[in-house]
Amino acid sequence: MPTPSMEDYIEQIYILIDQKGYARASDIAERLSVHPSSVTKMVKKLDEKDYLHYEKYRGIVLTDKGTKIGKRLVYRHELLEQFLEIIGTEEDSIYEEVEGIEHHLSWESIFRIGDLVEYFQEDPERLNALQKVQERNSNKE
């Protein structure tokens, strides 16, 4: 399994390739707020571990293994964003909250959160009931 740092890179590479058709070191550096030299080092590690193919000045291509993991990481991120929206987290802080927790949850926990998100999405009345509980509890504070 990739480290949390590797996951961040794989996720961003996957997103860039999905959005633009390619991923450049400069784009990855910008998205992750790191120096291009850091990207080059990590990309070489990911190449050694068979998550991607990297040729200097040619670009970055995810392997099947890297694509599969990238897809799962994007799913995890989007699912956690949906979950935080459902439970009423302020929209301005959702991205940072997800970044803070996504590497600390097991896939079993992610799948159970997925069940919970689906449970609330299936019936809007469930979401309304949750919001009533939250309002009632916020009045107690």
Side-chain angles (χ1 to χ4, degrees), residues 1 6 14-15 22 32 41 60 63 70-72 92-95 117-118 121 124 129 132 137:
M1 282 301 289
M6 289 175 167
Y14 180 87
I15 291 168
Y22 60 89
L32 294 174
K41 286 179 190 173
I60 299 163
T63 61
K71 191 176 209 172
R72 283 185 77 179
D92 292 347
S93 63
I94 288 178
Y95 183 83
V117 167
E118 188 176 324
Q121 289 175 338
K132 286 178 184 172
N137 288 339

Side-chain angles (χ1 to χ4, degrees), residues 80-90 94 97 101 113 116-117 120 127 130-131 134:
L80 290 172
E81 283 185 352
Q82 291 172 346
F83 173 70
L84 292 177
E85 283 177 28
I86 286 171
I87 64 170
T89 302
E90 288 193 31
I94 288 178
E97 296 265 353
I101 63 173
I113 289 170
L116 191 60
V117 167
F120 281 105
L127 187 55
L130 174 62
Q131 290 168 343
Q134 290 170 331

Side-chain angles (χ1 to χ4, degrees), residues 24-116:
R24 296 183 317 209
S26 59
D27 295 328
I28 299 164
E30 183 180 328
R31 286 180 175 239
L32 294 174
S33 301
V34 297
H35 293 286
S37 60
S38 298
V39 173
T40 302
K41 286 179 190 173
M42 180 58 81
V43 165
K44 287 179 181 177
K45 281 184 190 177
L46 293 170
D47 189 7
E48 290 170 9
K49 303 242 182 228
D50 196 37
Y51 293 112
L52 55 80
H53 295 295
Y54 171 69
E55 289 183 43
K56 197 171 183 178
Y57 308 115
R58 291 242 173 190
I60 299 163
V61 178
L62 288 171
T63 61
D64 289 342
K65 177 180 170 182
T67 299
K68 181 179 177 184
I69 290 173
K71 191 176 209 172
R72 283 185 77 179
L73 297 173
V74 168
Y75 164 78
R76 176 181 72 187
H77 191 100
E78 290 174 351
L79 178 68
L80 290 172
E81 283 185 352
Q82 291 172 346
F83 173 70
L84 292 177
E85 283 177 28
I86 286 171
I87 64 170
T89 302
E90 288 193 31
E91 193 174 323
D92 292 347
S93 63
I94 288 178
Y95 183 83
E96 285 184 28
E97 296 265 353
V98 170
E99 287 296 312
I101 63 173
E102 67 184 340
H103 299 295
H104 301 285
L105 296 171
S106 69
W107 281 101
E108 178 64 23
S109 294
I110 295 295
F111 295 138
R112 296 301 65 84
I113 289 170
D115 296 341
L116 191 60

